[in-house]
Amino acid sequence: MSPTASSLLDTSAVVVVGDEPWLAAYADALHQESGATVRRVSTAAAARETLSRERADCVVADYTLPNGTGIDLVRRVREEMPTLPVVLGTADGSESIAAEAIEAGVTDYLRVSEPVSDAVDDALRRTEAAIREARRSETRRERARQFDAVFHDAESATWVLDPEGTLTRVNRAAREAVAADADAVVGEPFWTLPWWGDDRTRADVRRLVDAARDGESGHAVLPRDAVAGSRVLELSVRPVTDGQGELVSIIVDSDEITDRVDLERELRQSEELHRVTLNNMTDTVLMTDADGEYTYVCPNVHFIFGYTADEIRDLGTIDDLLGDDLFDREALAEEGVLKNIETTATDKAGREHTLLVNVREVSIQDGTLLYSCRDITKRKQREQALATLQETAREFLYAETHQEIAHHVVDDTAAVLDLDASAVYRFDADDNHLEPVAHSRAMREVHGPLPAVHADGSDLTSHSFVEDEPLFFADVHDSDRLTNPATDLRSAAYIPLGDHGVFVAGSTDVGAFDDVTRELADLLAATAEAALDRVDRESKLREQDRELQRRNDQLTALNRINETIREIDQAIVRSETREEIDHTVCDRLTADGRFRFAWIGTLDDAGETVTPQTRAGTDQGYLDARSIPVSADGVDPAGRTAATGEVTHVANVAANLRAASWRKDAISRDLLSVVSVPLVYNDLSYGVLTVYAETPDAFDGTVRAVLAELGETIAAAISASERKRALLTTSLTRVEYAVADPSFVLARLADAADCALTYEGGVRQTAGGNDVFVTVEDAPLDAVVDATRRLTVVEDARPIRGGDAGGVVRLRLSEPFLAAELADHGAVLQSATATPDGAATLAVDVPDGVEVRNVTRFVSDRFADADLTSKQTREQASEHGFYASVLDRMTDRQLEVLETAYYSGFFESPRQATGETVADSLGISPQAFYQHIRTAQRKLFAALIEDHTPVATPPSG
């Protein structure tokens, strides 16, 4: 590539789309031969994602793409980024493909042919050309925008013509010049407009336009009768060309000089008045003889040239002042007057001035030629500044960052304001200071390093920002807020850029800011502020779009996982066994590609290894190839969850690949992210559920939370299935435990009452608490009731049967009793005995189908010191259906009354407690007690007679 291409591509970002070999070679060449930022993607979707996140100067794509074509990509890019260059290449090109690509808006179309090196070179050249043309287009658009801002703010009448001389735009001052509808004449030749009073004027105007079409600037003064409104205008016609020198428009400016013309006429009428006027006008009038020797020099000659009249005479002839060959002598002799001759002259201080000179033949004393010189230097500078400002505004239009805009402001300050020293401070709201983000070399040389400024209004920069006040100084050293007295800056301007910061410009000269410079400085700052506002708005919109997309993605994922969870919940409700539950969960999680692989495992008897029980999806032998130890450090996620009882999440299996062998086994099977959740219900573990996905970061916080809740649901369902199996089994295991734990309620009460207590069944969970019936041995019941007042866990205690030698007490507990907790795990607490020394023994029946080790683990976790002392298998009558039938028929209140009556000895013969006594202990009337008892008895007999199948009695002897 050429040095120009290299330098252009060095600052460019190129997105390469596709997997074709020529694209790979192209990307390598682009990376090796330039400093370009290259982003390679395979699909159109990935390309659009990259473009939404990163800046790109060009997209180079192949026609053939996965899931679509390069032309589809071009169309989508054109919808979102109309000006981004796109180069499309293909090795199988055809005219139809080329036509379709052009219709889609492709920037360039490349047919790839052998050898690939030639195709790569061609693609590099076309990439450079596309980027260069795009940047030129951006510059042109920015200049047009800039020109519009200046055009509408102009005070003088201005017309814009197309290259043919047709009127295209009119500013406000020009509209006000005539009582006609300016919009009605847009599109007409400029010289035919109602501004011009006669045919001769129209011809003069046309000659000026024709000269501009030939690339020459022109000036003319139109007399009073030649202009609508009886005014005298001075026209300035200037051609505007593009970067290739082609004429793109013609700008016509006019100043009203009616007063000046009237004054000249009056001067001719009175020489004295003429001299007085000359002394006070800014134009300079000179008179010479035919040889150029001065015969008259007006006293105000110093306004333009800085010399006195005598010093002008000492310089030599008029040619030494205005230059040789200023005008054509023959043309002057023919016309009598030559107007608006543009020339340059140097003043006494060495500064160049642009002058408009009128030359007229006269006969005044010894003078034969009269020169009228008008200084239009500021007007020319203003025209040039406006043109530069137009280009700056175009650059602002396509700037994407505050930093980029700040550099544009600094780079263009010299051309717009003719000031070399400039800087832009940006406000940092977090630190409350103004940070210099861009400055010119001249600013650093004359001012020194630019420190950050605290936004407290104490110095000039922060004061301008805080007060939102532009500050202009003829000599900044006169300000009491100047914090750097050593600065060489003299003239200085501080202009706030809204809430974004401050623009600073200055010069080592005193008084550098005239009205025009101030106006241009304000305009440059306003343009920059508007660009900064646009960048902020676009940045917020992009952020909102990204946030909306992120939320949409989250919602889609959440809806999908919730749908899966609903399916699983509905399925496990219908499942009868744990095997069905496990298979249902794994199958539903991996159905329809939701997740790649899922499995459920349980701990072995020793609790050292997780053993897979059920799996679904595609694991390609992952579980077969390894064992999964239970450990919290550096092992498979399932082993870690089994050890810690917490959710384990690995967002990217490929990260720290060599840290654990399981990662290599997983990544080789495309298992790239994993989450493992514990299956725990009522503090009892039923194993772990582990789910794998084929993409990284597949399990966000919401998905992990949902899966964790699913783990609890699965564990609850497994527990329920085991309890159901326990009700249907006729085989059970009775296990006995010796417990030494002072926190056990029976042990605490036995110690407080100094007696032995026994629980032999009868526990009810009601809205008011947990009621437990306890047998007291060899101690007064009143003493036991008094002792319960020292135990916060016992809310109420009532004697049921007995007296000083013992009996039965009903305890109402604020916490679930051990029997209810064991029932949740499918086990039945048959008895519990506690002695005053704090020791207790438990007898628990574990039905077949419930793991004894799970019950033992629960007891061990529940009590500080628990030892298994006995374990034996028993057969029991299959009466669970009958028992469940009775419970289904009775209300909680009826069952409470029945149990209280039973433990009170109401059913003993003889009765140990009357109905009135039992009713009093329940806090109800005797009539209500007897009604509950009769109802309960009737339901019991109904279940026995109607529902229970009698067992045939064998015939006697």
Side-chain angles (χ1 to χ4, degrees), residues 317-390:
T317 65
I318 191 75
D319 292 341
D320 296 319
L321 182 65
L322 302 180
D324 298 333
D325 301 325
L326 179 64
F327 59 92
D328 186 344
R329 296 278 180 169
E330 294 181 359
L332 177 61
E334 181 180 347
E335 299 291 337
V337 60
L338 298 177
K339 300 178 180 180
N340 299 317
I341 304 171
E342 185 172 321
T343 188
T344 58
T346 304
D347 66 10
K348 186 177 181 179
R351 295 186 293 263
E352 276 197 351
H353 293 256
T354 302
L355 307 178
L356 284 183
V357 181
N358 294 339
V359 183
R360 181 182 300 275
E361 289 184 337
V362 297
S363 180
I364 302 175
Q365 297 180 357
D366 296 330
T368 60
L369 295 176
L370 185 143
Y371 296 81
S372 174
C373 303
R374 185 173 192 182
D375 191 350
I376 61 168
T377 303
K378 290 185 178 179
R379 189 172 79 181
K380 296 292 289 186
Q381 291 173 345
R382 183 173 179 270
E383 290 175 355
Q384 294 172 356
L386 290 177
T388 302
L389 188 57
Q390 182 181 6

Side-chain angles (χ1 to χ4, degrees), residues 47-111:
R48 292 178 60 216
E49 174 67 19
T50 300
L51 292 174
S52 68
R53 296 194 317 266
E54 304 180 19
R55 178 185 70 85
D57 296 297
C58 187
V59 175
V60 179
D62 191 77
Y63 173 77
T64 302
L65 296 177
N67 301 323
T69 67
I71 292 178
D72 296 333
L73 173 61
V74 173
R75 291 194 176 100
R76 297 305 297 271
V77 170
R78 283 291 165 263
E79 292 175 359
E80 300 169 1
M81 302 176 181
T83 61
L84 179 64
V86 181
V87 177
L88 183 67
T90 178
D92 301 320
S94 66
E95 292 184 2
S96 62
I97 293 177
E100 188 179 2
I102 293 172
E103 183 273 332
V106 73
T107 305
D108 201 351
Y109 177 77
L110 171 66
R111 183 165 183 175

Side-chain angles (χ1 to χ4, degrees), residues 758-781:
T758 302
Y759 163 81
E760 294 182 343
V763 58
R764 294 294 298 160
Q765 289 181 301
T766 66
N770 297 273
D771 291 344
V772 178
F773 294 94
V774 178
T775 301
V776 179
E777 297 181 8
D778 301 328
L781 295 187

Side-chain angles (χ1 to χ4, degrees), residues 21-42:
W22 75 270
L23 276 174
Y26 163 80
D28 292 342
L30 184 61
H31 182 72
Q32 294 171 2
E33 299 182 24
S34 72
T37 301
V38 182
R39 296 286 185 271
R40 287 205 61 192
V41 297
S42 297

